[in-house]
Amino acid sequence: MPDAPLPATVSAPAAAPLPPAAPWIVVKFGGTSVATRERWDTILRLAASRRAEGARVVVVVSALSGVTDALKALCALPPDERVAAAGRLTERHRALAAEMGLGRVEAMERWLDSLQRAAADGPGAGGELAWQAEVQAHGELLSSALGAVFLTAKGLSTQWLDARTCYAATDLPFLNERARLLSAQVEPRHDPALAADLAARGEVFITQGFIARDGQGRTVLLGRGGSDTSASYFGALLRAARVEIWTDVAGMFSANPRQVPAARLLTRLDYEEAQEIATTGAKVLHPRCLSPLREARVPLLIKDTQRPELAGTEIGPEVREQAPSIKAISSRRGITLVSMESVGMWQQVGFLADVFAHFKRHGLSVDLIGSAETNVTVSLDPTENLLDSDVVAALAADLARVCRVKVIAPCAAVTLVGRGMRGMLHKLSAVLAEFGQLRVHLITQSSNNLNLTFVVDEDVVDDLLPRLHEMLVRAGALRADDATLFGPSWQALYGRAAAAAPAPWWRAARPRLLKLAAERSPRYVYHLPTVRAHARALRASGVIDRLYYAVKANPHPVLLRALAEEGLGFECVSPGELAAVAANVPASAPRLFTPNFAPRGDYAEALADGILTTLDALHPLQHWGRLFKGREIALRVDLGRGLGHHDKVRTGGEGSKFGLPLDQLDAFLALADDCGARLRGLHAHLGSGILDAAHWGEVYAQLASLAERIGSIEFLNVGGGLGVPAHPDDLPLDVHAVMRHLAEVKRAYPQYALWMEPGRYLVAEAGVLLARVTQDKRKGAAHYLGADAGMNSLIRPALYAAWHEIVNLSRLDAEADTLYQVVGPICETGDVLGSDRRLPASAEGDVLLIANAGAYGAAMASRYNLREPAEETVIE
Ligand code: LLP
């Protein structure tokens, strides 16, 4: 639910009184959100806007940041220091009241007096724990009292509400006194009488998170995450239209952003998935606050107080029309595994009951369980257990009487969460292969089919998580491309480059593009200024001595001419590409010929034209040695690994046909010598679509150390492969960082010239494919949208499962509310341009725009089915 950015000045609008049946909205703000005047302005604005929506509002607040900890500390002080500690808290609250322009706030002063008294008196007849609860409750009582006065003073008439009068803790027989008082639980039921009573009293209320009363009327605390829990209790009691948790991040993410900056915002979760994610590691929401809402079917929204315009995470009942997807990958550290091994005893009636009785006696709750005929392994989660080594040792000693016990720690549990996990197993092969390299102690699959958990050694998790996340996205198991489920990456929202992403050129060119598509479709359109801008971006640093454009990406004559004007040379892999360059650019532009398994005649032709040729095998020198006499050549080596956006474009290492393996280097040098060829340069190109800025510097360093051995080398060609992210929310390659890395290694080897040969980077974003909608069809669960462009025009989705953004250009600003399979007219099931795409409901004749199609689009087109591929147009 987007909110407009908050204006600087705030005042509450006057509104007509609400009818008795007006809905309720509960909004909750945490400690930092109530700690400054500016933040209170935000609360005022948000509460007022909810009221203006026609809802009654309950604002639930935490204590000012740090105050609960200070109160806890106060309780542990010797009696003579407690009053001074309470005095410091008094000053802090009065200072904030002054900052808020309120002078003396009587309602708050009453709670400050009460705190002073409680601090001075110390525990009474009620006991130490009851006193602690009483003292700590003051944090929320104070902040809410202050808030009521502030909001009312600003024109939003607000009633102060004592949360302890609204619900009582459940008396659970298994809880001890500490848990009853300091970590109480409530089972809220819809309470129409309370709703009616409050409706009669007012429209906007402010109340406390974290506190409740018990059956005896004592103040009790709700424990960790208590304020969120309070908000959800109010949501359930009042059967609210929604509960909003305002915090300092935009919501839940597909992984912990601290470990995985590429983690994506989860925009829509059902209660069970959210519960699973919260339970298995996410800290944004306490798992306890979901079940009251689930029963009452009240949606919960998590929003960023500083960025209210972001959609946030909405948690609600399950929605059906969704591509199945893994929603998140989470990890929990500090897991202890207890493996119990025995022979022949598992069949005995009651054996497991006996074993688990030991866990119960030591107060340990078991999380994961794996069992075999002679082994049962369970995990103990530190968030549920007080796991000190004494407890575990005592447990192990007890268990040793009935079986062989092994304690494995520290471990981490890595969990994949998503509804219908078992139906996604076929997409997890890469992930399983990754786990194949590690010690996996236990694998469990939850019986609700929502999670799959791997327990591994704790120290591997930090490296593992980002890799797994990327693999899940690549494999289409985590459907980061479905905009109704996933929002931007954390990096894109909060990272360094967050502000930098400009709108793509085609948004501004929309009227022209619509006209072009109306004339003819399908049609590729290339935006020349974008090509030039990318060329300049690469040249700007001055680090690269010679840039060659990899013509294969897009050999359109106008693009070749423009790139020649920008000072680029040309890298060609066939006589055809060499001819296209010769026909369109001045003879002075440098050229390279870098073929692979080409016939003899191709080499002969290029060498005769004096074109610097790169070899990547012994064969040409062994068999056609005469061709190379007196020629300067370059050598493409295989550095033993490949990289890139898909297996099919990784051009190094085993399984790839490119490059000379290094164990043949000496043979190559000897042959070159024999033939009288002069080896001037080394070349490596590991693959296409690389987004790691350090890559080219690493290649340069490796080539440089080889070059030092060889002696005659003058230039090092680090290849192309500069990636362009498929998804608009992904971070682009940081070209400055690429150049920084290169400059650094070049300083160590200044004797070599640095060459580079990018293709995609220069032209991908400059090109779009325009197509028109042909037909609409529903079949089973699928809703197909036909386009007049298919795999004959753009084969990348079919060949590499490449993701291209698709928009309906005719309805660019309409809500994308329909899930389509976008397909072409070619007679193959693989003729899909985009699966599970959200678009506005589209009609025959609408213009679809397929973005990032300037590289390897038209260049790879075919006349399959004797359908002419899209023709090409260049615009300035
Ligand atoms: N240099 C050599 C030796 C190459 O083989 C290639 C691309 C490049 C440079 C340029 O790579 P770029 O900067 O464009 O990533 N059809 C695939 C890409 C295949 C690339 C083949 N070689 C795709 O559509 O993703």
Side-chain angles (χ1 to χ4, degrees):
M1 183 162 319
D3 277 274
L6 303 172
T9 53
V10 193
S11 66
L18 291 169
W24 289 89
I25 294 179
V26 179
V27 290
K28 180 257 161 179
F29 297 90
T32 42
S33 302
V34 295
T36 63
R37 158 71 196 253
E38 194 197 344
R39 295 300 192 94
W40 275 104
D41 283 340
T42 304
I43 296 175
L44 168 63
R45 176 49 222 283
L46 287 167
S49 84
R50 297 322 179 237
R51 165 65 190 81
E53 259 181 51
R56 289 200 161 75
V57 184
V58 176
V59 180
V60 177
V61 289
S62 300
L64 313 196
S65 55
V67 165
T68 301
D69 285 344
L71 289 168
K72 237 190 237 170
L74 181 154
C75 292
L77 289 174
D80 55 331
E81 292 175 30
R82 291 197 297 246
V83 174
R88 287 192 291 277
L89 287 166
T90 300
E91 276 163 35
R92 164 118 191 251
H93 283 85
R94 284 183 184 156
L96 177 59
E99 186 192 330
M100 291 162 76
L102 292 177
R104 188 178 162 85
V105 179
E106 284 310 330
M108 186 175 83
E109 289 297 328
R110 280 198 289 280
W111 291 117
L112 288 171
D113 285 349
S114 142
L115 173 62
Q116 289 286 355
R117 271 197 311 277
D121 294 351
E128 167 82 25
L129 293 167
W131 173 74
Q132 284 183 19
E134 197 67 51
V135 169
Q136 289 177 40
H138 278 84
E140 278 71 13
L141 292 165
L142 287 163
S143 61
S144 56
L146 182 60
V149 173
F150 174 76
L151 297 177
T152 303
K154 291 286 160 188
L156 184 71
S157 170
T158 302
Q159 317 291 317
W160 183 82
L161 178 64
D162 190 330
R164 295 170 297 185
T165 61
C166 299
Y167 43 69
T170 313
D171 191 13
L172 299 167
F174 58 85
L175 291 183
N176 60 25
E177 184 73 350
R178 170 175 290 274
R180 274 168 213 266
L181 282 158
L182 304 183
S183 191
Q185 290 184 35
V186 177
E187 279 167 16
R189 294 255 153 66
H190 181 205
D191 186 348
L194 174 72
D197 176 39
L198 293 182
R201 279 167 56 189
E203 297 180 338
V204 180
F205 296 83
I206 187 165
T207 189
Q208 309 78 39
F210 190 55
I211 67 173
R213 70 162 194 280
D214 70 2
Q216 307 162 37
R218 298 182 299 176
T219 298
V220 298
L221 306 180
L222 298 176
R224 215 161 55 88
S227 292
D228 289 353
T229 315
S230 301
S232 92
Y233 291 161
F234 274 102
L237 281 175
L238 300 171
R239 190 139 307 155
R242 63 178 185 271
V243 170
E244 301 175 356
I245 305 280
W246 288 86
T247 177
D248 50 5
V249 280
M252 292 174 111
F253 280 78
S254 59
N256 178 350
R258 262 186 289 279
Q259 288 167 307
V260 185
R264 300 287 292 270
L265 178 66
L266 293 160
T267 49
R268 182 74 179 81
L269 292 169
D270 64 49
Y271 296 116
E272 290 79 11
E273 289 171 324
Q275 178 84 43
E276 204 73 30
I277 295 170
T279 315
T280 57
K283 296 277 183 294
V284 192
L285 198 65
H286 195 276
R288 206 200 271 174
C289 55
L290 283 166
S291 73
L293 296 178
R294 180 168 57 201
E295 275 152 40
R297 298 184 84 70
V298 174
L300 178 127
L301 202 59
I302 305 173
K303 300 270 288 178
D304 182 345
T305 320
Q306 302 288 79
R307 313 263 306 264
E309 73 282 5
L310 299 175
T313 299
E314 187 186 346
I315 300 167
E318 186 186 344
V319 277
R320 279 280 163 212
E321 205 201 325
Q322 273 182 7
S325 175
I326 288 183
K327 300 290 166 53
I329 172 164
S330 47
S331 69
R332 282 170 294 160
R333 297 161 157 282
I335 302 281
T336 296
L337 283 186
V338 181
S339 158
M340 294 161 282
E341 187 94 29
S342 193
V343 185
M345 301 179 85
W346 302 111
Q347 310 295 344
Q348 272 178 35
V349 172
F351 182 81
L352 282 180
D354 291 347
V355 166
F356 284 123
H358 288 299
F359 285 86
K360 182 175 178 186
R361 196 167 50 254
H362 290 281
L364 294 171
S365 107
V366 163
D367 183 26
L368 307 166
I369 304 176
S371 71
E373 208 176 336
T374 62
N375 175 288
V376 172
T377 299
V378 302
S379 77
L380 303 172
D381 182 336
T383 54
E384 300 300 328
N385 293 295
L386 287 166
L387 275 186
D388 62 46
S389 47
D390 293 348
V391 174
V392 178
L395 170 77
D398 280 357
L399 289 171
R401 291 204 287 272
V402 280
C403 56
R404 239 175 303 139
V405 189
K406 199 161 106 195
V407 174
I408 307 168
C411 295
V414 176
T415 302
L416 312 183
V417 181
R419 182 167 289 287
M421 183 62 65
R422 286 191 280 269
M424 288 183 268
L425 290 177
H426 62 290
K427 292 187 174 169
L428 300 182
S429 56
V431 169
L432 294 176
E434 188 71 17
F435 279 110
Q437 330 246 337
L438 304 170
R439 274 191 338 144
V440 178
H441 301 294
L442 181 66
I443 301 179
T444 66
Q445 206 253 322
S446 64
S447 49
N448 59 8
N449 202 11
L450 273 168
N451 90 41
L452 183 63
T453 296
F454 302 81
V455 180
V456 293
D457 292 331
E458 193 183 69
D459 57 358
V460 303
V461 165
D462 282 343
D463 287 346
L464 183 63
L465 247 62
R467 279 210 304 282
L468 290 182
H469 191 272
E470 198 194 326
M471 281 175 189
L472 290 169
V473 174
R474 260 184 207 283
L478 192 152
R479 297 297 314 266
D481 53 320
D482 187 340
T484 52
L485 299 180
F486 294 94
S489 69
W490 184 87
Q491 214 166 23
L493 288 174
Y494 301 103
R496 214 173 9 94
W505 63 268
W506 45 261
R507 286 200 169 260
R510 178 172 176 246
R512 263 165 101 191
L513 293 172
L514 285 172
K515 225 167 118 223
L516 285 168
E519 285 166 22
R520 199 175 304 116
S521 78
R523 194 165 199 180
Y524 277 106
V525 181
Y526 307 132
H527 188 240
L528 212 51
T530 299
V531 176
R532 290 184 190 276
H534 280 87
R536 285 172 199 169
L538 289 184
R539 292 201 58 185
S541 71
V543 178
I544 299 174
D545 297 297
R546 213 176 262 180
L547 268 173
Y548 293 87
Y549 169 56
V551 173
K552 61 178 91 58
N554 189 332
H556 193 284
V558 179
L559 269 48
L560 297 181
R561 285 200 285 275
L563 287 167
E565 283 162 20
E566 296 299 329
L568 270 77
F570 297 87
E571 186 257 338
C572 303
V573 294
S574 69
E577 287 187 0
L578 284 168
V581 170
N584 289 292
V585 310
S588 55
R591 277 143 240 230
L592 278 181
F593 186 46
T594 317
N596 174 251
F597 289 102
R600 183 180 195 275
D602 289 5
Y603 292 85
E605 217 176 297
L607 289 164
D609 286 344
I611 291 166
L612 184 61
T613 298
T614 304
L615 305 187
D616 75 343
L618 299 179
H619 188 110
L621 294 175
Q622 275 167 340
H623 300 278
W624 319 323
R626 269 186 308 120
L627 288 183
F628 300 95
K629 187 168 173 51
R631 301 290 184 189
E632 295 187 327
I633 55 167
L635 168 65
R636 175 174 184 173
V637 290
D638 181 359
L639 295 176
R641 64 188 196 284
L643 290 169
H645 68 80
H646 188 273
D647 272 345
K648 290 193 169 88
V649 301
R650 292 179 199 143
T651 52
E654 242 171 76
S656 128
K657 66 181 177 134
F658 299 93
L660 186 84
L662 291 180
D663 57 7
Q664 295 175 20
L665 180 61
D666 290 338
F668 185 94
L669 296 175
L671 280 167
D673 239 15
D674 291 349
C675 302
R678 199 161 73 80
L679 181 60
R680 270 190 65 207
L682 288 182
H683 171 270
H685 169 84
L686 272 57
S688 191
I690 301 168
L691 290 163
D692 170 12
H695 165 71
W696 296 270
E698 286 163 11
V699 170
Y700 187 92
Q702 279 182 284
L703 291 181
S705 69
L706 279 179
E708 285 191 319
R709 267 176 53 198
I710 296 170
S712 63
I713 302 299
E714 294 162 24
F715 68 83
L716 303 176
N717 182 346
V718 293
L722 287 79
V724 173
H727 202 280
D729 291 326
D730 288 342
L731 271 199
L733 179 67
D734 182 347
V735 170
H736 295 292
V738 172
M739 299 305 162
R740 254 199 332 273
H741 286 289
L742 280 167
E744 212 167 283
V745 281
K746 229 183 131 183
R747 266 198 297 280
Y749 300 100
Q751 66 271 43
Y752 304 117
L754 163 58
W755 293 7
M756 193 185 242
E757 48 188 29
R760 182 193 315 273
Y761 179 81
L762 293 164
V763 292
E765 290 172 339
V768 295
L769 173 58
L770 302 178
R772 270 186 299 189
V773 171
T774 53
Q775 299 189 27
D776 174 296
K777 165 155 97 184
R778 286 179 186 273
K779 196 179 143 190
H783 191 168
Y784 293 99
L785 191 67
D788 59 5
M791 64 194 288
N792 58 325
S793 293
L794 181 66
I795 200 173
R796 301 189 74 254
L799 193 57
Y800 314 119
W803 195 91
H804 286 260
E805 184 181 11
I806 302 179
V807 299
N808 184 327
L809 201 61
S810 308
R811 304 168 199 265
L812 197 52
D813 296 317
E815 196 187 342
D817 54 4
T818 312
L819 188 72
Y820 285 118
Q821 314 302 321
V822 184
V823 297
I826 299 298
C827 297
E828 292 217 17
T829 299
D831 185 25
V832 176
L833 295 168
S835 328
D836 300 321
R837 298 308 177 90
R838 296 270 167 191
L839 294 171
S842 305
E844 182 184 346
D846 280 1
V847 177
L848 300 180
L849 177 147
I850 300 145
N852 269 358
Y856 307 108
M860 294 175 76
S862 76
R863 296 182 62 233
Y864 187 33
N865 285 186
L866 292 189
R867 278 192 188 277
E868 290 304 319
E871 68 159 62
E872 302 165 274
T873 306
V874 182
I875 60 174
E876 277 290 346

